[in-house]
Amino acid sequence: MPSSSDLTKYTPLKIGWFSTGRGEGSYGLLKAGLDAIESGSLNAELAFVFVNRVKGQTKRTDRFLDLVESKGIPLVTLSSRDFRQTHENRPWSELREKFDRAAIELLRPYSTDIAVHAGYMLIAPLLCSEYITLNLHPALPGGTIGMWQQAVWDVITEGLNETGAMIHVSTEDVDEGPVLSTTKFTVRGGAFETLWNELTGTDLAMLKSDPGEKLPLFKAIREAGLLRERPLLIETIKAVASGRIDPTGSGEITDLTPEVEASIRN
């Protein structure tokens, strides 16, 4: 009879995957997860993929949905845009919990161990209560709360030496749930130093409007972060599947920088 450790080793982790599917980042995260599962390096299966858009909203979303369907994974969609329109275009803050309830009902047939928010652009207080939910955030603990764009600007305007990303447990407090794992990288030296030097004597606050996100340093920091976000998510899920990381966030923060950097090199 297999021991509990054997069951942890061989029983696939059941994941509910939430995404808005609006761009290359969301697509890449899902593709990375599927590749890891198919290669056997990640002992998991996707119980469902939930997307708050439907076919026909955008070409990028259609590409995302096509990928899910091509793998035979249960796909559940509920357009937040259409949901708001059918509720008299009321402010989303008034509809957030109602939308979550509708999503939860649609997902009742599916059993999961954890959920992952990978490019899911909605604040989802009830979903966080329904599922143990892992969320990718493009900043280190104690850093930026909010969108990735602000995280990059904070690195530049504060003149930081390093940045990174973290996986945390989603709670009603946005981007403030228990942190499970992190990865760090330097934004100094090498090609970065040349880009920093180009800003000498510049009003950093003004750069947000011109040239904005076209600023070479902004683009370089974002690209370095994106390069690490996918392996951080996958390595974290691997650690949860193996029992190394407690997905409830009751354990210590795990620094996965070595694993992430090794993944990039390979």
Side-chain angles (χ1 to χ4, degrees), residues 4-255:
S4 59
S5 60
D6 289 333
L7 291 175
T8 300
K9 181 177 180 181
Y10 295 111
T11 303
L13 185 73
K14 293 183 179 180
I15 303 171
W17 196 280
F18 290 79
S19 180
T20 297
R22 71 175 189 170
E24 188 60 35
S26 299
Y27 185 94
L29 287 168
L30 177 62
K31 183 67 163 53
L34 292 172
D35 288 347
I37 291 171
E38 291 174 2
S39 71
S41 64
L42 173 58
N43 184 28
E45 62 184 38
L46 298 191
F48 64 80
V49 173
F50 177 85
V51 182
N52 65 299
R53 290 184 174 184
V54 292
K55 275 281 182 74
Q57 281 195 229
T58 70
K59 290 183 179 179
R60 288 185 173 183
T61 298
D62 287 353
R63 179 171 177 249
F64 183 96
L65 299 177
D66 288 343
L67 174 61
V68 177
E69 292 178 332
S70 72
K71 300 298 182 179
I73 301 167
L75 173 62
V76 182
T77 61
L78 180 63
S79 170
S80 51
R81 178 200 64 184
D82 295 348
F83 190 88
R84 188 180 180 199
Q85 289 176 352
T86 59
H87 288 79
E88 302 174 336
N89 286 315
R90 286 157 53 193
W92 190 249
S93 59
E94 297 178 11
L95 299 175
R96 188 173 291 134
E97 291 192 1
K98 187 183 292 289
F99 182 85
D100 276 6
R101 290 191 188 96
I104 289 169
E105 285 305 311
L106 290 174
L107 296 171
R108 289 288 182 204
Y110 307 101
S111 173
T112 65
D113 297 311
I114 64 168
V116 171
H117 284 189
Y120 189 62
M121 305 310 295
L122 300 180
I123 297 172
L126 295 188
L127 287 180
C128 296
S129 300
E130 185 74 13
Y131 301 99
I132 298 173
T133 305
L134 278 56
N135 184 60
L136 171 65
H137 183 62
L140 293 172
T144 304
I145 295 175
M147 300 291 286
W148 65 264
Q149 292 92 335
Q150 187 59 49
V152 176
W153 284 121
D154 285 348
V155 172
I156 295 172
T157 57
E158 295 175 20
L160 301 182
N161 293 324
E162 68 174 12
T163 185
M166 65 179 177
I167 304 293
H168 67 91
V169 181
S170 288
T171 65
E172 293 185 13
D173 297 320
V174 179
D175 296 334
E176 294 189 21
V179 179
L180 302 181
S181 61
T182 60
T183 188
K184 302 175 183 178
F185 62 93
T186 182
V187 292
R188 297 288 179 171
F192 278 115
E193 205 60 35
T194 300
L195 299 178
W196 280 106
N197 290 338
E198 291 176 357
L199 304 185
T200 301
T202 304
D203 184 345
L204 298 181
M206 295 295 292
L207 294 175
K208 284 188 178 182
S209 56
D210 184 22
E213 294 177 18
K214 294 181 180 179
L215 181 74
L217 179 59
F218 182 100
K219 293 169 65 176
I221 294 171
R222 177 55 178 163
E223 288 169 4
L226 273 177
L227 187 64
R228 290 161 175 82
E229 287 177 6
R230 296 174 190 175
L232 174 63
L233 178 61
I234 302 308
E235 292 299 329
T236 301
I237 298 174
K238 286 181 183 179
V240 170
S242 69
R244 179 183 173 191
I245 289 180
D246 180 351
T248 66
S250 61
E252 296 183 355
I253 298 173
T254 302
D255 181 7

